[in-house]
Amino acid sequence: MLSIIDKKCMGMQNPVGIRPARPEFSWIIDSDMHDTVQETYQIQVRSLDGTLVWDSGSCSSGICSAVFYDGEPLRPRTCYEWTLAVTDNHGQTAVRRGDLFETGFSEGEPWTGKWISPKQEVVPDAFCDWPADKLVEHFGPVDFVGLDMGNPDGVAPAYYLRKSFGLLPKKRSSARLYITAGGIYDVSLNGKPVTDTLFNPGFTPYDKYFEYQTFDVTGLLEQENVIGVILADGWYKGRNGIGGLRNLYGKQTKLLAELHVRYEDGTTDIIATDDTWISSKGPYEYADLFVGEFYDARKDLGAWDCAGYIPKGWTAVTVLPHTDEVLKGICAPPAGVVEHIRPASVYRNDIGELILDMGQNIAGFVRATFYNQEPGAHIVFEHTEMLDERGHYMNSINPDCRELIDHYICCGKSSETYCPRFTFHGFRYVRISGLKGQVRAEDFEGLVVASRLDTTMDFQCSNPDITRLQSNIFRSQQGNFLGIPTDCPQREKAGWTGDVFVYSDTASYVQDVRMFLKRWLEMVRMEQFANGIVPVTVPYTKNYYYIQDCVFQAHTSCGWGDAIIEVPWVLYQQYGDISFLTDNYDAMKKWIGYVEKEASEGRTDDYEKMPLSQQERQPYLWNTGFHYGDWSYPSCRNEKGETDNLQSSINTREYVATALYAHSCEVFSKVAAVLSKDEDARYYRTLRDRICKAYEEEYIRPDGQFPLPIQGLYVLTLAMGLVSEEKAGLLARHLNQLILDNGGCLDTGFMSIKFLLDVLCRYGYTDTAKTLLLQEKCPSWLYEVKHDATTVWSKWNAIQPETGKVTCASYNHYSFGSVGKWMYNYILGIRNTGCGFRDFVVEPGFDYPFQWACGSYHCVYGDIRVAWARDGRERSIDLTVPVSTHALIRLKDCDTNSLSHYFKDRMKDGYVSLGSGTYHICYQTRPEM
Ligand code: BGC
């Protein structure tokens, strides 16, 4: 039987409040018959009165995602039903009805509501008086550390806003609340939460647009009602990212909301933000996304968001002058609590500190219940990712930092529960002080917060450390994918573009990041400068702008800016969604045009002294300006023995920049070819060849060596195919030797690491790849695992191998987890060879020292499942191939006599060719193997 087992609009089930322009549809079908292919699909969209607004007609196609609405313009704030009918090659059909989507406002459509602001103390900007030399002085060569974070000044209370209103005694049919804020809002209706999503409206470049959310509140309305909103600073005006600067987008928090109540008689009432709303301070002394919260329960406002409450001391809000903010509906899954975890333990250490150990490093917060505390008792929660080597509390982020601390003042009730809502922390441990009486682990719960993305990768193998590495990668991704992809959840929470460059392919295996990264790429396009520069973080907040300007005199870098080309290309291949290319094409072209101009016009200081032949190739080398380069490669140390990030940039920048210039030209020419933009395709292909020639002549000696013995340079050159095959062989040999000389340890930085194992395998150094993967000495992935890591670290030697000292670092940084893709490709053995896994290869990692591996990848067509095992000469593979896809299974060293006819008949050149279905293949290897 053919069945439709999943159906989504914009990657969500029955989404409400999406942008009305072009909704996207996707689905998964399943069949109990082998070799099933979807032959046709048909989508019909109807408004709820039954009017047909789009009929795709029967489309002969196997695709089941990235189908875009193409009917008459959708009406704003309207619910539609969509029906899907599919047929397959066996003559089966399946139909699914009843799925809904609802549009929000049309872009640019005026709102009835006005921006309002609670009466609030205006906190002065810290920004203007922040001296550049102080920055440089603090910045140092060690790592990016939080600057000027000494004390949480300039933080502001969260304000309470309310609006009470009565409704006509008429039958209501539906009610929707449309709401956004400059800040983070938490909204309730008649004392009940309107949503379980968090950190709304989410982080966007607020100077370009705000996202608003839409909630179905039909069931919450009464005759007499109160809308209650608590409004905190958030990314909009709180202390933010590096430097902890505040007021990045505004000096005052603000709110915009409209409640539309529809009646059965066809009329609508709108209750909107205006001068009738009132506001008050409440129990939050402050509520800052980065610093933490200070909640005084004695100041609890009681039933402030319910009818009948007397708002004593509340004041009128200010209606802000009209401005033209762009407002957009949602287009990706929201953020919220994604997991509840019980602490591993709560105990007093040898110096009497009360330590709560969550058992894993998370992004989120703790819900705590206390009993019989004195009124006024001050309970402090200090979060940290690591305890020091003695098991004592330390702030693992920055020695001076006083942040990631929540305060709670008890009101003295027999039982009180505190759970933050306007902050989240990156932490595993919490030092709790001020709590009297017996403390039990069951009084605490860890709440993990993230964007609600489906997990698409399951991976296990017979080596528990490698399995653990996989779960660490997952956890680091989850801890950093909240609204935007961030570098780390504790120190910066910033959308570093280079991190996404290196990690997007692993990310797209681990979770369904299609809509999540599509949304972020839209922000990248908005933040792109007119001259094509793609900044190093997106959103590009003032603090990063300022640092980049003062410290590096540059707003971009190779690799970081190249994200605009790399990420859409990676996602197009992974998901087969061509809109990644069409949406981003112009931005890609602008970026590559910028790089071309920089490279061809920039001249190094020694240009005049160069021989003519060398001068002639200079326009093809991107050897000027600042670049992060192969940032943070581990052997680059300062005299104190600490990783010297700036030096790693200086040593590698011109090589890496030129390599990535060639790579981006190549990728862009492929993109152009896919979109039939032949002239661009040809131009950038030719340019790429010229860059490669210049690169080889300028940097690589005839014996295949770079002037500097840096692994990353070899890795990038090989990964990007910048030299002839013959030269490549030499380079690969040198790379291998560098690794052996380094005691079998990697020495790659941010840009090169993701290609390392792949390049070694490609050039026949599989044993070295195995050594690196299973290495337990520092630097290595398993060094972290052996040191009880539950996430991926930013510094390999964050726990010093020589002394065991726990140092300040980010312990939750996914970039070095980019090895994930290699694990799925080489150990589990699933490799995409088509577009969106329409065709894929399964090559089980029998060559690796594992007895078995199993797992699955949920591609856009459904679950690809693989479980393989080996025992002596016996090999077994259990496999599921989704409907509409085709797999080639590599049966390495197979003694075909041991194979059943079914597979023997489908075998060619060592590969078995299989359509959809579930299979069990077993065979023996040839005796000599
Ligand atoms: C971030 C990185 C980022 C880097 C720039 C750091 O502070 O945490 O992930 O890419 O700066 O190189």
Side-chain angles (χ1 to χ4, degrees):
M1 210 179 74
L2 188 70
S3 51
I4 299 168
I5 54 172
D6 193 15
K7 231 173 123 204
K8 285 186 176 147
C9 175
M10 307 296 286
M12 295 171 273
Q13 256 140 14
N14 303 324
V16 177
I18 59 169
R19 303 174 190 178
R22 279 185 87 210
E24 181 267 355
F25 304 104
S26 61
W27 58 93
I28 303 278
I29 56 177
D30 196 16
S31 167
D32 50 9
M33 290 176 81
H34 274 181
D35 298 314
T36 301
V37 176
Q38 172 186 294
E39 288 216 318
T40 64
Y41 73 84
Q42 179 167 16
I43 295 176
Q44 292 184 331
V45 177
R46 288 189 164 75
S47 47
L48 293 190
D49 63 7
T51 316
L52 185 71
V53 292
W54 183 46
D55 185 346
S56 70
S58 170
C59 303
S60 306
S61 170
I63 62 162
C64 62
S65 68
V67 174
F68 293 89
Y69 176 84
D70 197 17
E72 58 186 68
L74 293 170
R75 289 207 310 273
R77 299 178 305 288
T78 306
C79 187
Y80 293 91
E81 186 198 339
W82 66 290
T83 303
L84 172 72
V86 292
T87 65
D88 72 9
N89 53 329
H90 305 299
Q92 307 184 97
T93 55
V95 179
R96 187 164 136 172
R97 300 189 170 80
D99 295 278
L100 306 172
F101 67 88
E102 185 173 313
T103 56
F105 285 80
S106 301
E107 208 167 308
E109 193 186 352
W111 282 47
T112 309
K114 298 185 169 54
W115 283 104
I116 58 171
S117 224
K119 190 160 173 250
Q120 59 196 283
E121 208 183 297
V122 174
V123 184
D125 288 356
F127 184 60
C128 302
D129 47 52
W130 200 31
D133 52 351
K134 189 173 169 208
L135 257 181
V136 181
E137 179 192 303
H138 271 79
F139 191 67
V142 184
D143 198 348
F144 279 120
V145 290
L147 303 165
D148 188 27
M149 284 181 155
N151 72 80
D153 64 346
V155 286
Y159 289 92
Y160 286 61
L161 294 94
R162 80 192 295 272
K163 162 79 187 170
S164 60
F165 59 96
L167 288 174
L168 295 170
K170 291 199 286 181
K171 277 218 156 144
R172 295 182 287 269
S173 56
S174 71
R176 296 288 184 267
L177 177 68
Y178 303 92
I179 179 166
T180 188
I184 293 174
Y185 70 81
D186 190 71
V187 57
S188 52
L189 188 56
N190 298 326
K192 299 204 183 71
V194 156
T195 173
D196 67 350
T197 60
L198 284 171
F199 304 111
N200 290 315
F203 188 16
T204 59
Y206 300 116
D207 52 339
K208 313 279 187 323
Y209 79 102
F210 287 79
E211 217 163 63
Y212 64 89
Q213 287 70 40
T214 306
F215 301 112
D216 179 353
V217 293
T218 319
L220 296 179
L221 285 174
E222 313 275 347
Q223 205 65 38
E224 290 303 319
N225 300 278
V226 175
I227 303 177
V229 172
I230 312 175
L231 189 55
D233 287 354
W235 295 273
Y236 183 77
K237 93 169 249 293
R239 297 185 57 146
N240 202 325
I242 205 156
L245 298 188
R246 55 184 175 259
N247 294 355
L248 293 181
Y249 290 97
K251 287 188 194 326
Q252 291 184 7
T253 50
K254 56 182 187 176
L255 177 75
L256 176 68
E258 282 187 28
L259 172 67
H260 291 212
V261 183
R262 291 176 197 128
Y263 298 97
E264 284 187 357
D265 63 8
T267 58
T268 301
D269 269 343
I270 298 181
I271 292 93
T273 41
D274 60 16
D275 59 2
T276 61
W277 288 56
I278 52 175
S279 74
S280 166
K281 219 183 124 182
Y284 288 97
E285 287 303 317
Y286 60 78
D288 189 274
L289 188 68
F290 280 75
V291 173
E293 292 186 355
F294 193 117
Y295 187 92
D296 187 343
R298 295 171 304 183
K299 299 185 180 158
D300 191 284
L301 295 178
W304 66 280
D305 51 355
C306 296
Y309 173 83
I310 303 180
K312 255 212 321 237
W314 289 57
T315 47
V317 297
T318 312
V319 173
L320 299 177
H322 178 78
T323 41
D324 279 325
E325 276 90 352
V326 175
L327 303 170
K328 287 173 182 280
I330 57 161
C331 60
V337 172
V338 291
E339 205 185 326
H340 294 251
I341 50 176
R342 288 275 156 215
S345 56
V346 55
Y347 59 92
R348 288 207 183 265
N349 63 13
D350 60 348
I351 54 166
E353 292 172 322
L354 182 63
I355 303 285
L356 180 67
D357 175 4
M358 298 316 304
Q360 52 182 277
N361 199 16
I362 63 168
F365 38 72
V366 171
R367 176 188 288 149
T369 304
F370 337 109
Y371 302 94
N372 305 315
Q373 302 295 312
E374 297 288 321
H378 184 165
I379 302 172
V380 182
F381 300 85
E382 293 165 281
H383 302 76
T384 181
E385 296 190 304
M386 295 297 279
L387 299 178
D388 74 10
E389 43 294 350
R390 296 158 302 177
H392 301 164
Y393 169 83
M394 69 181 276
N395 188 317
S396 61
I397 299 139
N398 173 352
D400 312 322
C401 173
R402 303 270 314 137
E403 331 231 327
L404 308 192
I405 303 176
D406 296 325
H407 299 260
Y408 180 85
I409 309 284
C410 299
C411 63
K413 282 202 285 201
S414 57
S415 135
E416 323 186 25
T417 296
Y418 169 59
C419 182
R421 39 183 160 175
F422 300 110
T423 188
F424 67 90
H425 309 297
F427 71 103
R428 171 173 170 169
Y429 303 96
V430 190
R431 176 170 67 179
I432 304 173
S433 46
L435 197 54
K436 298 242 162 54
Q438 210 206 346
V439 181
R440 303 170 313 172
E442 59 263 38
D443 297 332
F444 301 94
E445 190 183 25
L447 278 71
V448 182
V449 299
S451 279
R452 291 181 167 155
L453 307 177
D454 291 341
T455 303
T456 45
M457 173 51 62
D458 177 36
F459 173 95
Q460 292 166 46
C461 73
S462 55
N463 181 329
D465 291 337
I466 298 293
T467 303
R468 167 91 173 249
L469 172 60
Q470 164 59 21
S471 58
N472 291 1
I473 291 170
F474 169 77
R475 215 170 279 125
S476 273
Q477 175 162 332
Q478 189 177 54
N480 277 294
F481 277 29
L482 192 154
I484 60 159
T486 60
D487 58 336
C488 50
Q490 57 330 67
R491 182 182 62 201
E492 297 182 46
K493 298 183 171 79
W496 282 96
T497 47
D499 302 41
V500 190
F501 176 103
V502 290
Y503 189 74
S504 55
D505 41 19
T506 295
S508 61
Y509 275 96
V510 174
Q511 290 182 309
D512 180 357
V513 295
R514 196 159 67 94
M515 304 316 283
F516 176 84
L517 286 180
K518 198 177 272 193
R519 174 175 175 273
W520 181 73
L521 283 165
E522 183 182 23
M523 294 183 212
V524 178
R525 297 196 296 275
M526 288 185 182
E527 294 287 50
Q528 185 172 31
F529 294 14
N531 66 357
I533 281 183
V534 172
V536 291
T537 70
V538 170
Y540 197 38
T541 45
K542 281 186 210 155
N543 46 343
Y544 284 98
Y545 186 101
Y546 193 68
I547 289 174
Q548 286 291 133
D549 213 43
C550 295
V551 182
F552 303 124
Q553 293 85 49
H555 294 285
T556 192
S557 155
C558 71
W560 276 250
D562 289 294
I564 188 61
I565 294 189
E566 185 78 358
V567 179
W569 178 243
V570 161
L571 298 175
Y572 162 68
Q573 289 171 294
Q574 192 80 1
Y575 296 120
D577 179 349
I578 205 165
S579 70
F580 278 109
L581 308 186
T582 46
D583 290 353
N584 294 295
Y585 191 79
D586 292 344
M588 293 179 178
K589 192 166 173 179
K590 249 165 72 184
W591 164 254
I592 199 72
Y594 162 79
V595 177
E596 190 180 350
K597 189 161 182 295
E598 286 293 298
S600 61
E601 292 176 5
R603 292 284 175 267
T604 52
D605 295 341
D606 55 352
Y607 178 79
E608 296 304 334
K609 290 191 219 113
M610 289 175 183
L612 189 61
S613 59
Q614 193 180 3
Q615 278 185 349
E616 276 171 5
R617 61 179 179 252
Q618 295 309 298
Y620 300 106
L621 304 171
W622 195 12
N623 52 9
T624 48
F626 166 77
H627 297 284
Y628 284 111
D630 204 17
W631 183 251
S632 205
Y633 69 87
S635 69
C636 194
R637 307 275 185 101
N638 61 17
E639 47 317 324
K640 286 196 229 144
E642 295 152 340
T643 314
D644 191 338
N645 285 336
L646 285 187
Q647 194 59 43
S648 71
S649 146
I650 293 164
N651 292 351
T652 59
R653 54 176 73 152
E654 70 171 285
Y655 307 91
V656 177
T658 305
L660 287 171
Y661 177 25
H663 176 67
S664 282
C665 283
E666 179 176 25
V667 174
F668 184 63
S669 77
K670 286 185 188 161
V671 172
V674 172
L675 300 181
S676 304
K677 301 195 185 259
D678 300 337
E679 207 176 304
D680 283 350
R682 226 174 302 118
Y683 179 83
Y684 284 98
R685 181 84 224 169
T686 312
L687 179 56
R688 185 233 177 222
D689 291 345
R690 293 195 179 131
I691 299 165
C692 290
K693 185 165 174 291
Y695 180 81
E696 183 168 339
E697 287 170 0
E698 182 85 1
Y699 299 127
I700 304 173
R701 298 203 310 237
D703 65 353
Q705 297 211 49
F706 281 94
L708 295 170
I710 298 175
Q711 290 181 15
L713 307 185
Y714 291 85
V715 171
L716 287 172
T717 308
L718 292 167
M720 289 159 186
L722 306 184
V723 292
S724 64
E725 268 311 298
E726 191 195 330
K727 258 290 167 48
L730 288 176
L731 259 80
R733 189 148 15 105
H734 289 303
L735 170 63
N736 188 54
Q737 196 55 47
L738 283 175
I739 297 168
L740 300 183
D741 294 347
N742 196 35
C745 284
L746 59 80
D747 193 20
T748 38
F750 253 61
M751 276 298 121
S752 59
I753 184 132
K754 84 161 173 172
F755 306 105
L756 174 62
L757 300 189
D758 201 63
V759 155
L760 289 168
C761 293
R762 226 190 302 152
Y763 286 92
Y765 296 99
T766 309
D767 283 345
T768 306
K770 280 181 217 169
T771 306
L772 291 177
L773 181 70
L774 299 176
Q775 183 58 267
E776 293 177 9
K777 281 187 300 195
C778 185
S780 71
W781 291 283
L782 294 194
Y783 173 79
E784 298 181 6
V785 169
K786 290 291 180 192
H787 283 77
D788 201 25
T790 56
T791 38
V792 179
W793 305 346
S794 68
K795 277 204 300 198
W796 300 100
N797 61 348
I799 297 182
Q800 286 180 351
E802 305 83 13
T803 59
K805 190 172 162 35
V806 181
T807 64
C808 291
S810 157
Y811 287 85
N812 201 349
H813 229 85
Y814 53 66
S815 303
F816 291 149
S818 54
V819 67
K821 175 179 185 262
W822 182 88
M823 293 177 5
Y824 318 138
N825 291 170
Y826 285 83
I827 302 177
L828 203 52
I830 303 173
R831 280 178 225 163
N832 180 20
T833 48
C835 202
F837 289 80
R838 188 88 186 256
D839 291 288
F840 60 95
V841 165
V842 176
E843 181 164 355
F846 291 130
D847 287 342
Y848 293 90
F850 310 119
Q851 287 309 111
W852 56 266
C854 67
S856 60
Y857 172 56
H858 186 80
C859 74
V860 286
Y861 294 96
D863 272 337
I864 301 172
R865 291 206 182 90
V866 178
W868 62 255
R870 66 187 172 98
D871 185 7
R873 286 175 51 212
E874 304 289 331
R875 302 281 183 271
S876 77
I877 307 168
D878 286 290
L879 176 74
T880 301
V881 180
V883 166
S884 295
T885 69
H886 173 258
L888 286 176
I889 323 302
R890 176 90 199 272
L891 302 188
K892 197 159 179 251
D893 309 325
C894 174
D895 175 357
T896 39
N897 295 325
S898 65
L899 200 60
S900 74
H901 282 295
Y902 185 87
F903 298 116
K904 213 192 269 180
D905 294 348
R906 288 168 172 73
M907 185 141 166
K908 203 175 151 210
D909 303 330
Y911 289 89
V912 174
S913 166
L914 296 173
S916 74
T918 294
Y919 306 91
H920 174 72
I921 309 174
C922 52
Y923 69 95
Q924 293 203 334
T925 54
R926 289 191 294 272
E928 69 275 17
M929 292 297 157

